[in-house]
Amino acid sequence: MAKNLVIVESPAKAKTIEGYLGKEFQVKSSFGHIRDLSSKGLSIDIANNYKPEYEISSDKKTVISDLKKAVKEAEIVWLATDEDREGEAISWHLFEALQLEKKDTKRITFNEITKSAILKAIENPRMINKQLVDAQQARRVLDRLVGFELSPVLWKKVKPSLSAGRVQSVAVRLVVEREKEIQSFQSKTHFKVQALFRKNNDDIKAELSFQLESKEEAIDLLEKCKDKNFEVTDVQQKPASRTPSAPFTTSTLQQEASLKLGFSVSRTMLIAQHLYEQGKITYMRTDSVNFSETALKSAEKTILASYGKEYCNPTKYQTKSANAQEAHEAIRPTDFSVSSIDGTSDEQKLYDLIWKRSISSQMSAAKLERTTVKIGSKNLEEHFVAKGEVIKFDGFLKVYLESKIEEDEEESETGILPALNKGDSLTRINIKATQRFTRPPARYVEASLVKKLEELGIGRPSTYAPTISTIQKRGYVEKVEKDGVERNYIVIELKNDSIKEEIKKELVGKEKNKLFPTDIGILVTDFLVEHFNRIMDYHFTANVEEQFDEIAKGLTEWTKMIHSFYSPFHQNVEETLEISGKVTGERLLGAHPKSGKKVIARIGRFGPMVQIGDEKEDGEKPVFASLKKDQSINTIELEEALELFNLPRVVGEYESLEIKANNGRFGPYIQHGKLFVSLKKEDDPITIDLDRAIQLILEKKEQESNKIIKVFKENADVQLLNGRYGPYLKVGKENYKLPKNVKAEDLSLEDCLEITKNQVSTKAKKKVKK
């Protein structure tokens, strides 16, 4: 029997580490956190100095039982959970739950799962760092206090079943405020003037050095250019360089994976976790841009071998964050000589990104030559500017170029210019003045929201992905795709000696994967900002993060920090419950054309809605209608609202039954007898015709018939079905996963009932999590 028991968080990590250690070591997994605050009640004894009341999760009791048996058989227990605060807390909870002895317990950490790193960690064990544990406890306790006290306020004052969170609510505020900026933005027009000149057979693109405010100014300039001869009035050449980006931190990896690979923040972290556990990259939750000395030498060796001495420039980067843990490293490959890996397509793509960013960070700057040419004419005040850029030495660009989160459409074009000298005569091919429009601030995508949170000091590497996921799961923010609308713009062109004006069309407002606040997200944010301005303040939230950092350094007692936050917050909650009224975001749209009754948009029990009439004023019950998914109580107009009261509408008849179109709690649908069919994105319940409705009904019926794999005459409650994630077992209203390597078609009734005995249903698991 192995004398040493190593406990880690995940089975994948356990499997990798076990391969590096000998027979003297047994490696087991805790499968994540094993204890948490009890799900019943607050589970914090406020009167007893905020003492947390922890319980072992019901799904971890077997795990704890197995670990206790392994502990009894081992001489030394090595707690090898992750090196951050969360990992330290898991080790502490294991120590407490397994009732370990200090003398027989060693804590080890490593930022990469390689044989050398594991063996080095075993040679340098330490005790559990209680300061790191306390910092994690403080975050957990504070977040429970805020959620537990704030959520009931929202239930009473806004809408049942809502929830609030300390960091999440501030993240939603960012999205809401950006949306309000966009809605209030007044676009202004101007004209961008671009010219095409020619010297011999070479074309030169140039741009007027300033923008024109009006169409009249544009025409006036083109008129002045008609009879002018153009020449080069100035040429400036300057050497320039472009330096590589620093290695990846958690946030920059999330941003770049979003821009280059189209990955969501949570998807990036899941893939990075897999790569880390397989020993292919270093730990993926970090705000450090450091490389260890070993890593620097390894990167240098790879660059020298692959690209040569002139491409090599070993660099130590300085982390900007004052609270970054310099002992940690940036995210990098564990072996720089491995430029590609086996694995899933996503793993290969993310590894490739990390390898290129890491290697490029240790490469030479790119050397450029930038040329600026001024083009003008005698008796013409205005001049045009042509810019060119030539790469003299590619340096790190040979491997990698960082993406931009927001592209600037007004940025001047740069290309390669022909050889030009002052006084060179140029032929004017054409001059175009194109109408342009100022743009509102861009909506956030996940990557840019992470960047903003980091800039404000809100959250830490371990919290970015959960925050972004939570605000979407709670229905406060959603990813929306918009097709955009056509817009006319003016192009005025001077060609030869004639000026021609043309109206062109362009598509604007097209959005993909942008974050939009929902109506309930806006309403909750406005309520919280009005009544809980302190905890919704960006600087205050950032300051709380700094206090967690101070706890981790042993500079602050965690319970004192909690008390300084909780006392004013609790008083704020009690005052709000007492003095604030209920809010619905009510907005008067106008009067009903026939009855004259008020038409109001507001948040109702089941979400955004419109109503005709006011019971207090009319003495009659109002008529209600739900909004369509792409409508908002903040922007819907009277005519659009009145259309909603035409629902449900009878589309026609099929198989002697009416087909009705309606808008429901979960979106638009059609009903045919007892069959309900959700409408597709392109369908509208107000305009859908009979042929399309029948097509959707037939598709749904075919889908339903393919869903059933097997039923049993002896017990109609037992069904084997095809689901979104593959075959599953349904017994009554309970669902069960099928064991691996089992064919659903081959299962008997007895097999199915045996599965239910050995497994908790998915429905029951959800109840436990709540």
Side-chain angles (χ1 to χ4, degrees), residues 230-250:
F230 288 89
E231 63 177 32
V232 175
T233 59
D234 185 45
V235 177
Q236 287 189 8
Q237 289 182 325
K238 290 182 180 178
S241 65
R242 190 181 293 179
T243 54
S245 302
F248 280 134
T249 61
T250 301

PDB file of all heavy atoms in Angstrom, residues 230-250:
ATOM      1  N   PHE A 230      -1.444  68.854 -59.272  1.00  0.00           N
ATOM      2  CA  PHE A 230      -0.980  68.425 -57.951  1.00  0.00           C
ATOM      3  C   PHE A 230       0.465  67.944 -58.009  1.00  0.00           C
ATOM      4  O   PHE A 230       0.918  67.384 -59.017  1.00  0.00           O
ATOM      5  CB  PHE A 230      -1.886  67.318 -57.404  1.00  0.00           C
ATOM      6  CG  PHE A 230      -3.235  67.826 -56.977  1.00  0.00           C
ATOM      7  CD1 PHE A 230      -4.294  67.894 -57.876  1.00  0.00           C
ATOM      8  CD2 PHE A 230      -3.443  68.265 -55.674  1.00  0.00           C
ATOM      9  CE1 PHE A 230      -5.531  68.373 -57.494  1.00  0.00           C
ATOM     10  CE2 PHE A 230      -4.677  68.741 -55.276  1.00  0.00           C
ATOM     11  CZ  PHE A 230      -5.730  68.805 -56.180  1.00  0.00           C
ATOM     12  N   GLU A 231       1.157  68.202 -56.907  1.00  0.00           N
ATOM     13  CA  GLU A 231       2.537  67.754 -56.792  1.00  0.00           C
ATOM     14  C   GLU A 231       2.852  67.383 -55.346  1.00  0.00           C
ATOM     15  O   GLU A 231       2.097  67.716 -54.417  1.00  0.00           O
ATOM     16  CB  GLU A 231       3.505  68.848 -57.250  1.00  0.00           C
ATOM     17  CG  GLU A 231       3.447  70.096 -56.389  1.00  0.00           C
ATOM     18  CD  GLU A 231       4.476  71.131 -56.834  1.00  0.00           C
ATOM     19  OE1 GLU A 231       4.803  71.226 -58.036  1.00  0.00           O
ATOM     20  OE2 GLU A 231       4.951  71.863 -55.943  1.00  0.00           O
ATOM     21  N   VAL A 232       3.965  66.665 -55.172  1.00  0.00           N
ATOM     22  CA  VAL A 232       4.416  66.307 -53.832  1.00  0.00           C
ATOM     23  C   VAL A 232       5.042  67.544 -53.198  1.00  0.00           C
ATOM     24  O   VAL A 232       5.986  68.126 -53.752  1.00  0.00           O
ATOM     25  CB  VAL A 232       5.450  65.158 -53.888  1.00  0.00           C
ATOM     26  CG1 VAL A 232       6.007  64.864 -52.497  1.00  0.00           C
ATOM     27  CG2 VAL A 232       4.815  63.900 -54.480  1.00  0.00           C
ATOM     28  N   THR A 233       4.502  67.970 -52.027  1.00  0.00           N
ATOM     29  CA  THR A 233       5.020  69.179 -51.375  1.00  0.00           C
ATOM     30  C   THR A 233       5.952  68.858 -50.206  1.00  0.00           C
ATOM     31  O   THR A 233       6.693  69.712 -49.746  1.00  0.00           O
ATOM     32  CB  THR A 233       3.864  70.060 -50.862  1.00  0.00           C
ATOM     33  OG1 THR A 233       3.084  69.294 -49.924  1.00  0.00           O
ATOM     34  CG2 THR A 233       2.976  70.525 -52.019  1.00  0.00           C
ATOM     35  N   ASP A 234       5.907  67.623 -49.727  1.00  0.00           N
ATOM     36  CA  ASP A 234       6.796  67.262 -48.615  1.00  0.00           C
ATOM     37  C   ASP A 234       6.856  65.739 -48.488  1.00  0.00           C
ATOM     38  O   ASP A 234       5.851  65.050 -48.698  1.00  0.00           O
ATOM     39  CB  ASP A 234       6.278  67.873 -47.305  1.00  0.00           C
ATOM     40  CG  ASP A 234       7.233  67.641 -46.145  1.00  0.00           C
ATOM     41  OD1 ASP A 234       8.441  67.828 -46.332  1.00  0.00           O
ATOM     42  OD2 ASP A 234       6.764  67.248 -45.057  1.00  0.00           O
ATOM     43  N   VAL A 235       8.020  65.220 -48.174  1.00  0.00           N
ATOM     44  CA  VAL A 235       8.195  63.780 -47.936  1.00  0.00           C
ATOM     45  C   VAL A 235       8.974  63.605 -46.635  1.00  0.00           C
ATOM     46  O   VAL A 235      10.046  64.190 -46.475  1.00  0.00           O
ATOM     47  CB  VAL A 235       8.956  63.086 -49.084  1.00  0.00           C
ATOM     48  CG1 VAL A 235       9.172  61.602 -48.756  1.00  0.00           C
ATOM     49  CG2 VAL A 235       8.218  63.230 -50.399  1.00  0.00           C
ATOM     50  N   GLN A 236       8.400  62.822 -45.710  1.00  0.00           N
ATOM     51  CA  GLN A 236       9.090  62.535 -44.446  1.00  0.00           C
ATOM     52  C   GLN A 236       9.169  61.026 -44.254  1.00  0.00           C
ATOM     53  O   GLN A 236       8.160  60.326 -44.372  1.00  0.00           O
ATOM     54  CB  GLN A 236       8.344  63.157 -43.258  1.00  0.00           C
ATOM     55  CG  GLN A 236       8.493  64.660 -43.181  1.00  0.00           C
ATOM     56  CD  GLN A 236       7.930  65.222 -41.881  1.00  0.00           C
ATOM     57  OE1 GLN A 236       7.558  64.471 -40.984  1.00  0.00           O
ATOM     58  NE2 GLN A 236       7.855  66.535 -41.806  1.00  0.00           N
ATOM     59  N   GLN A 237      10.381  60.576 -43.987  1.00  0.00           N
ATOM     60  CA  GLN A 237      10.585  59.144 -43.718  1.00  0.00           C
ATOM     61  C   GLN A 237      11.165  58.995 -42.328  1.00  0.00           C
ATOM     62  O   GLN A 237      12.146  59.644 -41.983  1.00  0.00           O
ATOM     63  CB  GLN A 237      11.518  58.525 -44.753  1.00  0.00           C
ATOM     64  CG  GLN A 237      10.875  58.384 -46.131  1.00  0.00           C
ATOM     65  CD  GLN A 237      11.800  57.729 -47.134  1.00  0.00           C
ATOM     66  OE1 GLN A 237      13.000  57.935 -47.089  1.00  0.00           O
ATOM     67  NE2 GLN A 237      11.230  56.942 -48.033  1.00  0.00           N
ATOM     68  N   LYS A 238      10.545  58.157 -41.532  1.00  0.00           N
ATOM     69  CA  LYS A 238      10.996  57.959 -40.157  1.00  0.00           C
ATOM     70  C   LYS A 238      11.078  56.469 -39.849  1.00  0.00           C
ATOM     71  O   LYS A 238      10.164  55.717 -40.198  1.00  0.00           O
ATOM     72  CB  LYS A 238      10.037  58.621 -39.165  1.00  0.00           C
ATOM     73  CG  LYS A 238      10.066  60.138 -39.203  1.00  0.00           C
ATOM     74  CD  LYS A 238       9.108  60.707 -38.153  1.00  0.00           C
ATOM     75  CE  LYS A 238       9.118  62.230 -38.178  1.00  0.00           C
ATOM     76  NZ  LYS A 238       8.158  62.798 -37.201  1.00  0.00           N
ATOM     77  N   PRO A 239      12.159  56.069 -39.196  1.00  0.00           N
ATOM     78  CA  PRO A 239      12.196  54.667 -38.750  1.00  0.00           C
ATOM     79  C   PRO A 239      11.213  54.487 -37.588  1.00  0.00           C
ATOM     80  O   PRO A 239      10.962  55.416 -36.821  1.00  0.00           O
ATOM     81  CB  PRO A 239      13.646  54.483 -38.280  1.00  0.00           C
ATOM     82  CG  PRO A 239      14.104  55.862 -37.912  1.00  0.00           C
ATOM     83  CD  PRO A 239      13.362  56.811 -38.809  1.00  0.00           C
ATOM     84  N   ALA A 240      10.648  53.316 -37.481  1.00  0.00           N
ATOM     85  CA  ALA A 240       9.711  53.023 -36.387  1.00  0.00           C
ATOM     86  C   ALA A 240       9.877  51.569 -36.002  1.00  0.00           C
ATOM     87  O   ALA A 240      10.510  50.777 -36.714  1.00  0.00           O
ATOM     88  CB  ALA A 240       8.277  53.301 -36.820  1.00  0.00           C
ATOM     89  N   SER A 241       9.323  51.222 -34.870  1.00  0.00           N
ATOM     90  CA  SER A 241       9.373  49.815 -34.453  1.00  0.00           C
ATOM     91  C   SER A 241       8.045  49.438 -33.815  1.00  0.00           C
ATOM     92  O   SER A 241       7.300  50.295 -33.349  1.00  0.00           O
ATOM     93  CB  SER A 241      10.523  49.590 -33.468  1.00  0.00           C
ATOM     94  OG  SER A 241      10.286  50.318 -32.281  1.00  0.00           O
ATOM     95  N   ARG A 242       7.783  48.168 -33.833  1.00  0.00           N
ATOM     96  CA  ARG A 242       6.589  47.640 -33.174  1.00  0.00           C
ATOM     97  C   ARG A 242       7.040  46.520 -32.243  1.00  0.00           C
ATOM     98  O   ARG A 242       7.707  45.586 -32.684  1.00  0.00           O
ATOM     99  CB  ARG A 242       5.589  47.105 -34.212  1.00  0.00           C
ATOM    100  CG  ARG A 242       4.234  46.762 -33.621  1.00  0.00           C
ATOM    101  CD  ARG A 242       3.283  46.214 -34.663  1.00  0.00           C
ATOM    102  NE  ARG A 242       2.910  47.214 -35.646  1.00  0.00           N
ATOM    103  CZ  ARG A 242       2.097  46.983 -36.682  1.00  0.00           C
ATOM    104  NH1 ARG A 242       1.613  45.756 -36.863  1.00  0.00           N
ATOM    105  NH2 ARG A 242       1.790  47.931 -37.532  1.00  0.00           N
ATOM    106  N   THR A 243       6.687  46.671 -30.967  1.00  0.00           N
ATOM    107  CA  THR A 243       7.155  45.697 -29.972  1.00  0.00           C
ATOM    108  C   THR A 243       6.099  44.616 -29.730  1.00  0.00           C
ATOM    109  O   THR A 243       4.895  44.872 -29.875  1.00  0.00           O
ATOM    110  CB  THR A 243       7.487  46.384 -28.642  1.00  0.00           C
ATOM    111  OG1 THR A 243       6.353  47.137 -28.212  1.00  0.00           O
ATOM    112  CG2 THR A 243       8.672  47.310 -28.794  1.00  0.00           C
ATOM    113  N   PRO A 244       6.538  43.431 -29.329  1.00  0.00           N
ATOM    114  CA  PRO A 244       5.569  42.346 -29.074  1.00  0.00           C
ATOM    115  C   PRO A 244       4.741  42.613 -27.823  1.00  0.00           C
ATOM    116  O   PRO A 244       5.131  43.398 -26.954  1.00  0.00           O
ATOM    117  CB  PRO A 244       6.443  41.117 -28.897  1.00  0.00           C
ATOM    118  CG  PRO A 244       7.790  41.634 -28.513  1.00  0.00           C
ATOM    119  CD  PRO A 244       7.934  42.977 -29.156  1.00  0.00           C
ATOM    120  N   SER A 245       3.609  41.960 -27.745  1.00  0.00           N
ATOM    121  CA  SER A 245       2.749  42.041 -26.556  1.00  0.00           C
ATOM    122  C   SER A 245       3.313  41.154 -25.468  1.00  0.00           C
ATOM    123  O   SER A 245       4.003  40.165 -25.743  1.00  0.00           O
ATOM    124  CB  SER A 245       1.327  41.588 -26.893  1.00  0.00           C
ATOM    125  OG  SER A 245       0.796  42.373 -27.927  1.00  0.00           O
ATOM    126  N   ALA A 246       2.963  41.492 -24.221  1.00  0.00           N
ATOM    127  CA  ALA A 246       3.377  40.679 -23.085  1.00  0.00           C
ATOM    128  C   ALA A 246       2.703  39.308 -23.148  1.00  0.00           C
ATOM    129  O   ALA A 246       1.668  39.146 -23.807  1.00  0.00           O
ATOM    130  CB  ALA A 246       3.007  41.385 -21.782  1.00  0.00           C
ATOM    131  N   PRO A 247       3.249  38.302 -22.462  1.00  0.00           N
ATOM    132  CA  PRO A 247       2.589  36.986 -22.421  1.00  0.00           C
ATOM    133  C   PRO A 247       1.178  37.099 -21.840  1.00  0.00           C
ATOM    134  O   PRO A 247       0.825  38.110 -21.227  1.00  0.00           O
ATOM    135  CB  PRO A 247       3.498  36.174 -21.494  1.00  0.00           C
ATOM    136  CG  PRO A 247       4.806  36.879 -21.491  1.00  0.00           C
ATOM    137  CD  PRO A 247       4.499  38.328 -21.693  1.00  0.00           C
ATOM    138  N   PHE A 248       0.425  36.037 -22.005  1.00  0.00           N
ATOM    139  CA  PHE A 248      -0.982  36.061 -21.596  1.00  0.00           C
ATOM    140  C   PHE A 248      -1.159  36.033 -20.080  1.00  0.00           C
ATOM    141  O   PHE A 248      -0.533  35.249 -19.374  1.00  0.00           O
ATOM    142  CB  PHE A 248      -1.726  34.847 -22.159  1.00  0.00           C
ATOM    143  CG  PHE A 248      -2.137  34.980 -23.593  1.00  0.00           C
ATOM    144  CD1 PHE A 248      -1.919  33.937 -24.484  1.00  0.00           C
ATOM    145  CD2 PHE A 248      -2.775  36.130 -24.048  1.00  0.00           C
ATOM    146  CE1 PHE A 248      -2.320  34.041 -25.808  1.00  0.00           C
ATOM    147  CE2 PHE A 248      -3.174  36.244 -25.372  1.00  0.00           C
ATOM    148  CZ  PHE A 248      -2.940  35.197 -26.254  1.00  0.00           C
ATOM    149  N   THR A 249      -2.069  36.895 -19.603  1.00  0.00           N
ATOM    150  CA  THR A 249      -2.694  36.732 -18.294  1.00  0.00           C
ATOM    151  C   THR A 249      -4.059  36.101 -18.560  1.00  0.00           C
ATOM    152  O   THR A 249      -4.428  35.894 -19.722  1.00  0.00           O
ATOM    153  CB  THR A 249      -2.886  38.089 -17.593  1.00  0.00           C
ATOM    154  OG1 THR A 249      -3.760  38.898 -18.411  1.00  0.00           O
ATOM    155  CG2 THR A 249      -1.562  38.809 -17.394  1.00  0.00           C
ATOM    156  N   THR A 250      -4.820  35.839 -17.519  1.00  0.00           N
ATOM    157  CA  THR A 250      -6.158  35.262 -17.717  1.00  0.00           C
ATOM    158  C   THR A 250      -7.010  36.162 -18.604  1.00  0.00           C
ATOM    159  O   THR A 250      -7.629  35.710 -19.566  1.00  0.00           O
ATOM    160  CB  THR A 250      -6.865  35.057 -16.361  1.00  0.00           C
ATOM    161  OG1 THR A 250      -6.077  34.191 -15.561  1.00  0.00           O
ATOM    162  CG2 THR A 250      -8.244  34.447 -16.548  1.00  0.00           C
TER     163      THR A 250
END
